[in-house]
Amino acid sequence: CVEIAGDNGFSALYANLKADPPVQEGAKVNAGDVIGAVGDTAASECADKSHVHFELRKDGASADPTKYIQFIKG
């Protein structure tokens, strides 16, 4: 997992990444930085296709990312 904390009360969690992501705990990241790659490390989701699990939190509580992020459907 990689969790990125913003200075506005938001944090984003990226899980089910390949082992050993290229960022270290406490590192500062910028938009466009590679923080990981799609993996299959979630044992409970082993029957699913490879994917990244994404969570958005605001002040520690789960937040609906569609209210804050514009997603482009592919």
Side-chain angles (χ1 to χ4, degrees):
C1 293
V2 172
E3 184 172 8
I4 299 174
D7 57 1
N8 54 4
F10 282 98
S11 64
L13 177 78
Y14 301 83
N16 199 34
L17 302 173
K18 283 188 178 179
D20 301 319
V23 293
Q24 302 297 318
E25 185 174 349
K28 181 178 178 177
V29 296
N30 297 299
D33 289 352
V34 175
I35 59 166
V38 175
D40 56 4
T41 54
S44 64
E45 298 178 353
C46 64
D48 295 343
K49 292 181 181 180
S50 293
H51 65 283
V52 173
H53 177 90
F54 174 76
E55 291 182 26
L56 184 67
R57 297 180 182 144
K58 172 73 172 148
D59 299 323
S62 294
D64 180 354
T66 62
K67 292 183 178 181
Y68 303 98
I69 301 170
Q70 182 178 7
F71 292 94
I72 299 171
K73 294 183 180 182

Coordinates of all heavy atoms in Angstrom, one line a residue:
C1 N 0.8 -1.2 0.0 CA 0.0 0.0 0.0 C 0.9 1.2 0.0 O 1.9 1.3 0.6 CB -0.9 0.0 1.2 SG -2.1 -1.2 1.3
V2 N 0.4 2.2 -0.7 CA 1.0 3.6 -0.6 C -0.1 4.5 -0.2 O -1.2 4.5 -0.8 CB 1.6 4.0 -2.0 CG1 2.0 5.4 -1.9 CG2 2.8 3.1 -2.3
E3 N 0.1 5.3 0.8 CA -0.9 6.3 1.2 C -0.2 7.7 1.1 O 0.9 7.9 1.6 CB -1.3 6.1 2.7 CG -2.4 7.1 3.1 CD -3.0 6.8 4.4 OE1 -2.5 5.9 5.1 OE2 -4.0 7.4 4.8
I4 N -0.9 8.6 0.4 CA -0.4 9.9 0.2 C -1.3 10.9 1.0 O -2.5 10.9 0.8 CB -0.4 10.3 -1.3 CG1 0.5 9.3 -2.0 CG2 0.0 11.7 -1.5 CD1 0.5 9.5 -3.5
A5 N -0.7 11.6 1.9 CA -1.4 12.6 2.7 C -1.2 14.0 2.1 O -0.1 14.4 1.8 CB -0.9 12.6 4.1
G6 N -2.3 14.7 1.9 CA -2.3 16.1 1.5 C -2.3 17.0 2.6 O -2.5 16.6 3.8
D7 N -2.1 18.3 2.4 CA -2.1 19.3 3.4 C -3.5 19.9 3.7 O -3.7 20.8 4.4 CB -1.1 20.4 3.2 CG -1.3 21.1 1.8 OD1 -2.3 20.7 1.1 OD2 -0.6 22.0 1.5
N8 N -4.5 19.3 3.0 CA -5.9 19.8 3.1 C -6.8 18.8 3.8 O -8.0 18.9 3.6 CB -6.4 20.2 1.7 CG -6.2 19.0 0.8 OD1 -5.8 17.9 1.2 ND2 -6.5 19.2 -0.5
G9 N -6.3 17.9 4.5 CA -7.1 16.9 5.2 C -7.5 15.7 4.4 O -8.1 14.7 4.9
F10 N -7.1 15.7 3.1 CA -7.3 14.5 2.2 C -6.1 13.6 2.3 O -5.0 14.0 2.5 CB -7.5 14.9 0.8 CG -8.8 15.5 0.5 CD1 -9.0 16.9 0.5 CD2 -9.9 14.7 0.2 CE1 -10.3 17.4 0.2 CE2 -11.2 15.2 0.0 CZ -11.4 16.5 -0.1
S11 N -6.4 12.3 2.1 CA -5.4 11.3 1.9 C -5.9 10.3 0.9 O -7.1 10.0 0.8 CB -4.9 10.6 3.2 OG -6.0 9.8 3.8
A12 N -5.0 9.7 0.1 CA -5.4 8.8 -0.9 C -4.6 7.5 -0.6 O -3.4 7.5 -0.4 CB -5.0 9.3 -2.3
L13 N -5.3 6.4 -0.7 CA -4.6 5.1 -0.4 C -4.7 4.3 -1.7 O -5.7 4.1 -2.4 CB -5.4 4.3 0.7 CG -4.9 2.9 0.9 CD1 -3.6 3.0 1.8 CD2 -5.9 2.1 1.6
Y14 N -3.5 3.7 -2.1 CA -3.4 2.9 -3.3 C -2.9 1.5 -2.8 O -1.9 1.4 -2.2 CB -2.4 3.5 -4.3 CG -2.7 4.8 -4.7 CD1 -2.4 6.0 -4.0 CD2 -3.4 5.0 -5.9 CE1 -2.7 7.2 -4.4 CE2 -3.7 6.3 -6.4 CZ -3.4 7.4 -5.6 OH -3.7 8.7 -6.0
A15 N -3.7 0.5 -3.1 CA -3.4 -0.9 -2.6 C -3.5 -1.9 -3.7 O -3.9 -1.5 -4.8 CB -4.4 -1.3 -1.5
N16 N -3.0 -3.1 -3.4 CA -2.9 -4.1 -4.4 C -1.9 -3.8 -5.5 O -2.0 -4.1 -6.6 CB -4.3 -4.5 -5.1 CG -4.3 -5.8 -5.7 OD1 -3.6 -6.8 -5.2 ND2 -4.9 -6.0 -6.8
L17 N -0.8 -3.1 -5.0 CA 0.3 -2.8 -5.9 C 1.3 -3.9 -5.9 O 1.3 -4.8 -5.1 CB 1.0 -1.5 -5.4 CG 0.1 -0.3 -5.2 CD1 0.9 0.8 -4.5 CD2 -0.4 0.2 -6.6
K18 N 2.2 -3.8 -6.9 CA 3.3 -4.8 -6.9 C 4.1 -4.5 -5.7 O 4.2 -3.4 -5.1 CB 4.2 -4.5 -8.2 CG 3.7 -5.1 -9.4 CD 4.7 -5.0 -10.6 CE 4.1 -5.6 -11.8 NZ 5.1 -5.5 -12.9
A19 N 4.8 -5.6 -5.2 CA 5.6 -5.5 -4.0 C 6.7 -4.5 -4.2 O 7.2 -4.3 -5.4 CB 6.2 -6.9 -3.7
D20 N 7.2 -3.9 -3.2 CA 8.3 -2.9 -3.2 C 8.1 -1.7 -4.1 O 8.8 -1.6 -5.1 CB 9.6 -3.7 -3.6 CG 10.0 -4.8 -2.6 OD1 9.8 -4.6 -1.4 OD2 10.4 -5.8 -3.1
P21 N 7.1 -0.9 -3.8 CA 6.9 0.3 -4.6 C 8.1 1.2 -4.6 O 8.9 1.1 -3.7 CB 5.7 1.0 -3.9 CG 5.6 0.4 -2.6 CD 6.2 -1.0 -2.6
P22 N 8.2 2.0 -5.6 CA 9.4 2.8 -5.8 C 9.5 4.1 -4.9 O 10.4 4.9 -5.1 CB 9.4 3.3 -7.3 CG 7.9 3.3 -7.6 CD 7.3 2.1 -6.8
V23 N 8.6 4.2 -4.0 CA 8.6 5.3 -3.0 C 8.8 4.8 -1.6 O 8.4 3.7 -1.3 CB 7.3 6.2 -3.1 CG1 7.2 6.9 -4.4 CG2 6.1 5.4 -2.8
Q24 N 9.5 5.6 -0.8 CA 9.7 5.2 0.6 C 8.8 6.0 1.5 O 8.4 7.1 1.2 CB 11.2 5.5 0.9 CG 12.2 4.8 0.0 CD 12.1 3.3 0.2 OE1 12.0 2.7 1.3 NE2 12.2 2.6 -1.0
E25 N 8.6 5.4 2.7 CA 7.8 6.1 3.7 C 8.4 7.4 4.0 O 9.6 7.6 4.2 CB 7.7 5.2 5.0 CG 6.8 5.8 6.0 CD 6.6 4.9 7.2 OE1 7.0 3.8 7.2 OE2 6.0 5.4 8.2
G26 N 7.5 8.5 4.1 CA 7.9 9.8 4.4 C 8.4 10.6 3.2 O 8.7 11.8 3.3
A27 N 8.5 10.0 2.0 CA 9.0 10.7 0.8 C 7.9 11.7 0.4 O 6.7 11.5 0.5 CB 9.3 9.7 -0.3
K28 N 8.4 12.8 -0.2 CA 7.5 13.8 -0.8 C 7.3 13.4 -2.2 O 8.3 13.1 -2.9 CB 8.1 15.2 -0.7 CG 7.2 16.2 -1.3 CD 7.7 17.6 -1.2 CE 6.7 18.6 -1.8 NZ 7.1 20.0 -1.7
V29 N 6.1 13.4 -2.7 CA 5.8 13.0 -4.1 C 5.0 14.2 -4.7 O 4.4 15.0 -4.1 CB 4.9 11.7 -4.2 CG1 5.7 10.5 -3.7 CG2 3.6 11.8 -3.5
N30 N 5.2 14.3 -6.0 CA 4.6 15.3 -6.8 C 3.7 14.7 -7.8 O 3.8 13.5 -8.2 CB 5.6 16.2 -7.5 CG 6.5 16.9 -6.5 OD1 6.1 17.7 -5.7 ND2 7.8 16.6 -6.6
A31 N 2.7 15.5 -8.4 CA 1.9 15.0 -9.4 C 2.7 14.5 -10.6 O 3.7 15.1 -11.0 CB 1.0 16.2 -9.9
G32 N 2.4 13.3 -11.0 CA 3.1 12.7 -12.1 C 4.2 11.7 -11.7 O 4.7 10.9 -12.5
D33 N 4.6 11.7 -10.4 CA 5.5 10.8 -9.9 C 5.0 9.4 -9.9 O 3.8 9.2 -9.6 CB 6.0 11.1 -8.5 CG 6.8 12.3 -8.4 OD1 7.2 12.9 -9.4 OD2 7.1 12.8 -7.2
V34 N 5.8 8.4 -10.2 CA 5.4 7.0 -10.2 C 5.4 6.5 -8.7 O 6.5 6.7 -8.1 CB 6.3 6.1 -11.1 CG1 5.9 4.6 -10.9 CG2 6.1 6.5 -12.5
I35 N 4.3 6.1 -8.2 CA 4.3 5.6 -6.8 C 4.1 4.1 -6.7 O 4.2 3.5 -5.6 CB 3.2 6.3 -6.0 CG1 1.8 6.0 -6.6 CG2 3.5 7.8 -5.9 CD1 0.6 6.4 -5.8
G36 N 3.9 3.4 -7.8 CA 3.7 2.0 -7.8 C 3.2 1.5 -9.1 O 3.0 2.3 -10.0
A37 N 3.0 0.2 -9.2 CA 2.5 -0.4 -10.4 C 1.4 -1.4 -10.0 O 1.4 -2.0 -8.9 CB 3.6 -1.1 -11.1
V38 N 0.5 -1.7 -10.9 CA -0.6 -2.7 -10.7 C 0.0 -4.0 -10.3 O 1.0 -4.5 -11.0 CB -1.5 -2.8 -11.9 CG1 -2.5 -3.9 -11.7 CG2 -2.1 -1.5 -12.3
G39 N -0.5 -4.6 -9.3 CA 0.0 -5.9 -8.8 C -1.2 -6.8 -8.5 O -2.3 -6.7 -8.9
D40 N -0.8 -7.9 -7.8 CA -1.8 -8.9 -7.4 C -1.4 -9.3 -6.0 O -1.4 -10.5 -5.7 CB -1.8 -10.1 -8.4 CG -0.4 -10.7 -8.5 OD1 0.6 -10.3 -7.9 OD2 -0.3 -11.6 -9.4
T41 N -1.2 -8.3 -5.1 CA -0.8 -8.6 -3.7 C -1.9 -8.8 -2.7 O -1.7 -9.1 -1.6 CB 0.2 -7.5 -3.3 OG1 -0.4 -6.3 -3.4 CG2 1.5 -7.5 -4.1
A42 N -3.1 -8.5 -3.2 CA -4.3 -8.7 -2.3 C -4.8 -10.1 -2.3 O -5.5 -10.5 -3.2 CB -5.4 -7.7 -2.6
A43 N -4.4 -10.9 -1.3 CA -4.8 -12.3 -1.4 C -6.3 -12.5 -1.4 O -6.8 -13.5 -2.1 CB -4.2 -13.0 -0.1
S44 N -7.1 -11.7 -0.8 CA -8.5 -11.8 -0.8 C -9.1 -11.5 -2.1 O -10.3 -11.8 -2.3 CB -9.1 -10.9 0.3 OG -8.9 -9.6 0.1
E45 N -8.4 -10.9 -3.0 CA -8.9 -10.6 -4.3 C -8.2 -11.3 -5.4 O -8.2 -10.9 -6.6 CB -8.8 -9.0 -4.5 CG -9.5 -8.2 -3.5 CD -9.4 -6.7 -3.7 OE1 -8.5 -6.3 -4.5 OE2 -10.1 -6.0 -3.0
C46 N -7.6 -12.5 -5.1 CA -6.8 -13.2 -6.1 C -7.6 -13.7 -7.3 O -7.1 -14.0 -8.3 CB -6.1 -14.4 -5.4 SG -7.1 -15.6 -4.7
A47 N -8.9 -13.8 -7.2 CA -9.8 -14.3 -8.3 C -10.1 -13.1 -9.2 O -10.6 -13.4 -10.3 CB -11.0 -14.9 -7.8
D48 N -9.8 -11.9 -8.8 CA -10.1 -10.7 -9.6 C -9.0 -10.5 -10.6 O -7.8 -10.8 -10.3 CB -10.3 -9.5 -8.7 CG -11.5 -9.6 -7.8 OD1 -12.4 -10.4 -8.1 OD2 -11.6 -8.8 -6.9
K49 N -9.3 -9.8 -11.7 CA -8.2 -9.3 -12.6 C -7.3 -8.3 -11.8 O -7.8 -7.7 -10.9 CB -8.8 -8.6 -13.8 CG -9.6 -9.6 -14.7 CD -10.1 -8.8 -15.9 CE -10.9 -9.8 -16.8 NZ -11.4 -9.1 -18.0
S50 N -6.1 -8.2 -12.3 CA -5.2 -7.2 -11.7 C -5.8 -5.8 -11.7 O -6.3 -5.4 -12.7 CB -3.8 -7.3 -12.4 OG -3.2 -8.5 -12.2
H51 N -5.7 -5.1 -10.6 CA -6.2 -3.8 -10.5 C -5.6 -3.1 -9.3 O -4.9 -3.7 -8.5 CB -7.7 -3.8 -10.3 CG -8.1 -4.5 -9.0 ND1 -8.1 -5.8 -8.8 CD2 -8.5 -3.9 -7.8 CE1 -8.5 -6.1 -7.5 NE2 -8.7 -4.9 -6.9
V52 N -5.8 -1.8 -9.3 CA -5.3 -1.0 -8.1 C -6.6 -0.6 -7.3 O -7.6 -0.2 -7.8 CB -4.6 0.3 -8.5 CG1 -4.3 1.2 -7.4 CG2 -3.3 0.0 -9.3
H53 N -6.5 -0.9 -6.0 CA -7.6 -0.5 -5.1 C -7.3 0.9 -4.6 O -6.2 1.3 -4.2 CB -7.6 -1.4 -3.9 CG -8.6 -1.1 -2.9 ND1 -9.9 -1.6 -2.9 CD2 -8.5 -0.3 -1.8 CE1 -10.5 -1.1 -1.9 NE2 -9.7 -0.3 -1.2
F54 N -8.3 1.8 -4.8 CA -8.1 3.2 -4.5 C -9.1 3.7 -3.4 O -10.3 3.3 -3.5 CB -8.3 4.1 -5.7 CG -8.2 5.6 -5.5 CD1 -7.0 6.2 -5.2 CD2 -9.4 6.3 -5.5 CE1 -7.0 7.6 -5.0 CE2 -9.4 7.7 -5.2 CZ -8.2 8.3 -5.0
E55 N -8.7 4.4 -2.4 CA -9.6 4.9 -1.4 C -9.2 6.4 -1.2 O -8.0 6.8 -1.2 CB -9.4 4.2 0.0 CG -9.9 2.8 0.0 CD -9.7 2.2 1.4 OE1 -9.7 2.9 2.4 OE2 -9.6 1.0 1.5
L56 N -10.2 7.2 -1.0 CA -10.0 8.6 -0.7 C -10.6 8.8 0.7 O -11.7 8.4 1.1 CB -10.7 9.5 -1.7 CG -10.5 11.0 -1.5 CD1 -9.0 11.4 -1.8 CD2 -11.4 11.8 -2.4
R57 N -9.8 9.6 1.5 CA -10.3 9.9 2.9 C -10.2 11.4 3.1 O -9.3 12.1 2.6 CB -9.4 9.2 3.9 CG -9.6 7.7 3.8 CD -8.7 7.0 4.8 NE -8.9 5.6 4.7 CZ -7.9 4.7 4.8 NH1 -6.7 5.1 5.2 NH2 -8.1 3.4 4.7
K58 N -11.1 12.0 3.8 CA -11.1 13.4 4.2 C -11.2 13.4 5.7 O -12.1 12.9 6.3 CB -12.3 14.1 3.6 CG -12.5 15.5 4.1 CD -11.5 16.5 3.5 CE -11.9 17.9 3.8 NZ -10.8 18.8 4.0
D59 N -10.2 14.0 6.4 CA -10.1 14.1 7.8 C -10.2 12.7 8.5 O -10.9 12.6 9.5 CB -11.1 15.1 8.4 CG -10.9 16.5 7.8 OD1 -9.7 16.9 7.7 OD2 -11.9 17.2 7.5
G60 N -9.7 11.7 7.8 CA -9.7 10.3 8.4 C -10.9 9.5 8.0 O -10.9 8.3 8.3
A61 N -11.9 10.1 7.5 CA -13.2 9.4 7.2 C -13.2 9.1 5.7 O -12.7 9.9 4.9 CB -14.4 10.2 7.6
S62 N -13.8 8.0 5.3 CA -14.0 7.6 3.9 C -14.7 8.7 3.2 O -15.7 9.3 3.7 CB -14.7 6.3 3.7 OG -14.0 5.3 4.3
A63 N -14.3 9.0 2.0 CA -14.9 10.1 1.1 C -15.2 9.5 -0.2 O -14.4 8.7 -0.8 CB -14.0 11.3 1.0
D64 N -16.3 9.9 -0.8 CA -16.6 9.4 -2.2 C -15.7 10.2 -3.2 O -15.9 11.4 -3.3 CB -18.1 9.8 -2.5 CG -18.5 9.3 -3.9 OD1 -17.7 8.9 -4.7 OD2 -19.8 9.5 -4.2
P65 N -14.8 9.5 -3.8 CA -13.9 10.2 -4.7 C -14.5 10.9 -5.9 O -14.0 11.8 -6.4 CB -12.9 9.1 -5.2 CG -13.6 7.8 -4.9 CD -14.6 8.0 -3.8
T66 N -15.7 10.4 -6.3 CA -16.4 11.0 -7.5 C -16.9 12.4 -7.2 O -17.2 13.2 -8.1 CB -17.5 10.1 -8.0 OG1 -18.5 10.0 -7.0 CG2 -17.1 8.8 -8.4
K67 N -16.9 12.8 -5.9 CA -17.3 14.1 -5.5 C -16.1 15.1 -5.6 O -16.3 16.3 -5.6 CB -17.9 14.2 -4.1 CG -19.2 13.5 -4.0 CD -19.8 13.6 -2.6 CE -21.1 12.9 -2.5 NZ -21.7 13.0 -1.2
Y68 N -14.9 14.6 -5.7 CA -13.7 15.4 -5.7 C -12.8 15.2 -6.9 O -11.9 16.1 -7.1 CB -12.9 15.1 -4.4 CG -13.7 15.3 -3.1 CD1 -14.3 14.2 -2.5 CD2 -13.8 16.6 -2.6 CE1 -15.0 14.4 -1.3 CE2 -14.6 16.7 -1.4 CZ -15.2 15.6 -0.8 OH -15.9 15.8 0.3
I69 N -12.9 14.1 -7.6 CA -12.0 13.8 -8.7 C -12.8 13.5 -9.9 O -13.8 12.8 -9.9 CB -11.2 12.5 -8.3 CG1 -10.3 12.8 -7.1 CG2 -10.3 12.1 -9.5 CD1 -9.7 11.5 -6.5
Q70 N -12.4 14.1 -11.0 CA -13.0 13.9 -12.3 C -12.4 12.6 -12.9 O -11.2 12.7 -13.3 CB -13.0 15.0 -13.2 CG -13.7 14.8 -14.5 CD -13.6 16.0 -15.5 OE1 -12.9 17.0 -15.2 NE2 -14.3 16.0 -16.5
F71 N -13.1 11.5 -13.1 CA -12.6 10.3 -13.7 C -12.9 10.3 -15.1 O -14.0 10.7 -15.5 CB -13.1 9.1 -13.0 CG -12.6 8.9 -11.6 CD1 -13.3 9.4 -10.5 CD2 -11.4 8.3 -11.3 CE1 -12.8 9.3 -9.2 CE2 -10.9 8.1 -10.0 CZ -11.6 8.6 -9.0
I72 N -12.0 9.8 -16.0 CA -12.2 9.7 -17.4 C -12.5 8.2 -17.7 O -11.6 7.4 -17.4 CB -11.0 10.2 -18.2 CG1 -10.8 11.7 -17.9 CG2 -11.3 9.9 -19.7 CD1 -9.6 12.2 -18.5
K73 N -13.6 7.9 -18.2 CA -13.9 6.5 -18.5 C -13.2 6.1 -19.8 O -13.3 6.9 -20.8 CB -15.4 6.3 -18.6 CG -16.1 6.4 -17.3 CD -17.6 6.2 -17.4 CE -18.2 6.4 -16.0 NZ -19.7 6.1 -16.0
G74 N -12.6 4.9 -19.8 CA -11.8 4.5 -21.0 C -12.5 3.5 -21.8 O -13.5 2.9 -21.7

